[in-house]
Amino acid sequence: MRDEAALDAMLRRAPFDLLSRPEYGTTVAEQVRRSLARGLRGAPGLPELGEVAARLAVSPATLRRRLQQEGTSFQRLKDQVRRDAAIAGLAESGEPIAELAARLGFSEDTAFHRAFRRWTGTTPGAYRIASGG
């Protein structure tokens, strides 16, 4: 319930509030995952913990603590985003595996191959063939 003055004030702020409102109803992990995924569209590799914490306007220690409270970690989220991007890249594009590995921030192809096998149980090349990519 609002009186007329409160309603008037709310309506005057509405455009600003709608455009600047943080994404309510999402977990910190979801916000970090989105930030990491956006980071893949820019420079090769993923943003570091400090960069993501700054985007979310918290300290790195606070971000770590909040993720721990949600039962996850920055590294786990980073691995999930890399895995999802790797699977999509292999299935949907003809991007060479070495370039995909570099874009995802792996220093060597072999590190990407090991990680992909750990995530999926198969090699990137075998996955690409099986998915028709």
Side-chain angles (χ1 to χ4, degrees):
M1 303 276 295
R2 296 180 188 264
D3 62 15
E4 280 191 53
L7 177 61
D8 186 50
M10 182 192 77
L11 291 174
R12 270 189 269 115
R13 283 191 325 268
F16 176 78
D17 288 348
L18 287 173
L19 295 174
S20 65
R21 171 184 253 161
E23 295 172 307
Y24 293 110
T26 61
T27 64
V28 173
E30 289 169 346
Q31 292 174 31
V32 169
R33 195 176 288 114
R34 271 194 305 274
S35 183
L36 289 169
R38 276 193 299 268
L40 277 179
R41 295 183 206 125
L46 293 168
E48 295 299 320
L49 177 73
E51 294 173 65
V52 174
R55 288 180 191 162
L56 299 178
V58 297
S59 71
T62 297
L63 181 56
R64 269 194 218 97
R65 189 173 52 255
R66 288 182 181 168
L67 290 172
Q68 184 178 19
Q69 289 169 347
E70 292 181 8
T72 192
S73 69
F74 185 76
Q75 187 60 50
R76 191 172 301 139
L77 294 172
K78 202 169 165 178
D79 286 343
Q80 290 171 358
V81 168
R82 278 180 163 168
R83 179 200 62 217
D84 294 349
I87 288 170
L90 291 170
E92 299 168 4
S93 76
E95 182 178 19
I97 292 172
E99 288 179 21
L100 177 61
R103 184 171 59 82
L104 296 177
F106 287 91
S107 57
E108 301 177 358
D109 296 357
T110 54
F112 174 65
H113 280 263
R114 279 192 307 273
F116 194 84
R117 183 179 283 272
R118 188 176 65 247
W119 297 330
T120 65
T122 188
T123 65
Y127 185 88
R128 175 172 273 165
I129 291 168
S131 68

